[in-house]
Amino acid sequence: MGLSGRHFLASTDCSAIEWHQLLDLAAAFKAGQARVHLDGKVLGLIFSKASTRTRVSFAVAMARLGGQTLDLNPAVTQVGRGELVEDTARVLSRYVDALAIRTFAQAELETYARFSSVPVINALTDLEHPCQAIADFLTLREAFGSLEGLTLSYVGDGNNVAHSLILAGVLLGVNVRLACPTGYGPDPAVLDRAQAIAGDGATVEVLADPEAACLGAQALYTDVWASMGQEQEAGQRLRDFSGYCLDQHLLSLADPEAIVLHCLPAHRGEEISAGVMEGKASRIFDQAENRLHGQQALLASLLGSGV
């Protein structure tokens, strides 16, 4: 695949062809048809933010590939006492074969990558969540067979998850619509980047009206309204996002075969209704499972030989 030894910091670190290859490999792992061995390889996890799916899926994926995972919790390492990222990256990359980092600033992640001699993986920053996007588009492909020309509608905050959906979506030929309240849209620089790489292919639209965004879409997606680090804004966001709950009404406007996605954790009754989350259109827990298969594909591609 040509990903061996590379960093995975953003959705655009992979070409369109490489994205399709990642999804192919993830599907093969899920079907039990891929065999890649990373015996003796060690993945280090540096997570400055809480995590369930990302932490567990990376650990299990590495174990299934024959490797090991080392939890480098900042609270019990010198990272939490202010050791320079530059020094940490240079030391740890002499011990482990890859680093998966979950932090706040994209710039910190990029500093790790600049000083690391092993692959650095974006396990979530405030700017992007590209590992989540692998699972998202794998789930969408499972439902419809092909991604080309599908429309994915995202309702909610234009956050890191939305950014990765936009960028990976245009690379994969998926039209992405976003419905965001005023002041909560995606980063304009992300939109500019998406438009530049989309060319005459997939489209990206940002709307204020969730009904217009959901009309005829093949997938409806949402996320929590207050991400990690924004807890103090939760009350204001609850008011500002009134009318943006992914409920049965919005689902009724989508394609009759539409699926519902959510990256979890979910707040039923806020960004998504309990009925929609538990309804027949929901693929949310398939999507969560696909984090494991997506992580296997990514680790095998970055650390394996001949993949």
Side-chain angles (χ1 to χ4, degrees):
M1 288 179 60
L3 295 182
S4 181
R6 284 164 48 182
H7 300 306
F8 187 64
L9 310 181
S11 300
T12 50
D13 283 346
C14 289
S15 67
I17 291 173
E18 289 165 341
W19 263 101
H20 283 291
Q21 291 173 333
L22 267 177
L23 297 180
D24 288 343
L25 185 56
F29 274 119
K30 187 171 185 177
Q33 297 170 347
R35 295 289 184 271
V36 177
H37 299 286
L38 299 182
D39 299 353
K41 300 286 189 181
V42 179
L43 171 69
L45 302 180
I46 303 177
F47 280 30
S48 300
K49 289 184 172 187
S51 172
T52 298
R53 281 148 293 278
T54 304
R55 181 186 296 276
V56 175
S57 58
F58 265 121
V60 175
M62 200 64 182
R64 288 191 176 185
L65 293 168
Q68 301 178 56
T69 305
L70 186 61
D71 189 351
L72 302 166
N73 187 333
V76 294
T77 63
Q78 297 296 341
V79 173
R81 298 184 65 243
E83 183 171 13
L84 290 177
V85 169
E86 294 92 324
D87 295 347
T88 301
R90 283 182 284 193
V91 170
L92 291 180
S93 58
R94 296 178 183 221
Y95 298 155
V96 302
D97 300 283
L99 289 166
I101 297 171
R102 171 173 282 221
T103 189
F104 292 88
Q106 183 78 10
E108 180 179 322
L109 178 76
E110 292 170 356
T111 300
Y112 270 107
R114 190 161 62 252
F115 287 90
S116 172
S117 57
V118 299
V120 172
I121 299 167
N122 182 345
L124 180 145
T125 66
D126 288 347
L127 182 64
E128 270 215 65
H129 197 357
C131 290
Q132 177 65 52
I134 300 173
D136 298 340
F137 288 104
L138 176 59
T139 310
L140 193 59
R141 197 177 78 165
E142 287 174 339
F144 296 99
S146 172
L147 294 173
E148 195 74 27
L150 295 179
T151 295
L152 182 152
S153 294
Y154 175 94
V155 179
D157 185 28
N159 59 15
N160 47 7
V161 170
H163 291 160
S164 291
L165 289 172
I166 292 168
L167 293 168
V170 296
L171 285 168
L172 289 164
V174 176
N175 302 309
V176 181
R177 294 188 203 140
L178 297 95
C180 308
T182 302
Y184 292 99
D187 187 328
V190 171
L191 292 175
D192 289 344
R193 176 68 174 144
Q195 297 292 356
I197 62 179
D200 297 327
T203 61
V204 177
E205 296 178 87
V206 181
L207 309 170
D209 182 1
E211 293 186 350
C214 292
L215 192 63
Q218 284 75 44
L220 304 185
Y221 197 125
T222 191
D223 189 11
V224 295
W225 292 337
S227 298
M228 286 177 283
Q230 299 172 332
E231 290 81 5
Q232 72 281 4
E233 304 172 19
Q236 183 61 52
R237 284 172 173 260
L238 194 63
R239 294 186 288 274
D240 293 343
F241 282 82
S242 177
Y244 285 80
C245 177
L246 180 46
D247 57 14
Q248 193 61 47
H249 171 64
L250 290 182
L251 180 57
S252 72
L253 301 174
D255 185 288
E257 302 300 318
I259 65 170
V260 171
L261 302 173
H262 191 308
C263 57
L264 298 176
H267 297 160
R268 291 167 173 81
E270 290 186 14
E271 76 276 0
I272 189 168
S273 71
V276 167
M277 184 159 180
E278 303 294 345
K280 66 177 184 179
S282 175
R283 298 293 184 276
I284 292 169
F285 295 101
D286 294 333
Q287 176 189 8
E289 177 191 339
N290 284 340
R291 291 298 307 277
L292 170 60
H293 310 303
Q295 251 80 289
Q296 277 189 273
L298 181 63
L299 290 168
S301 301
L302 297 179
L303 297 178
S305 58
V307 176

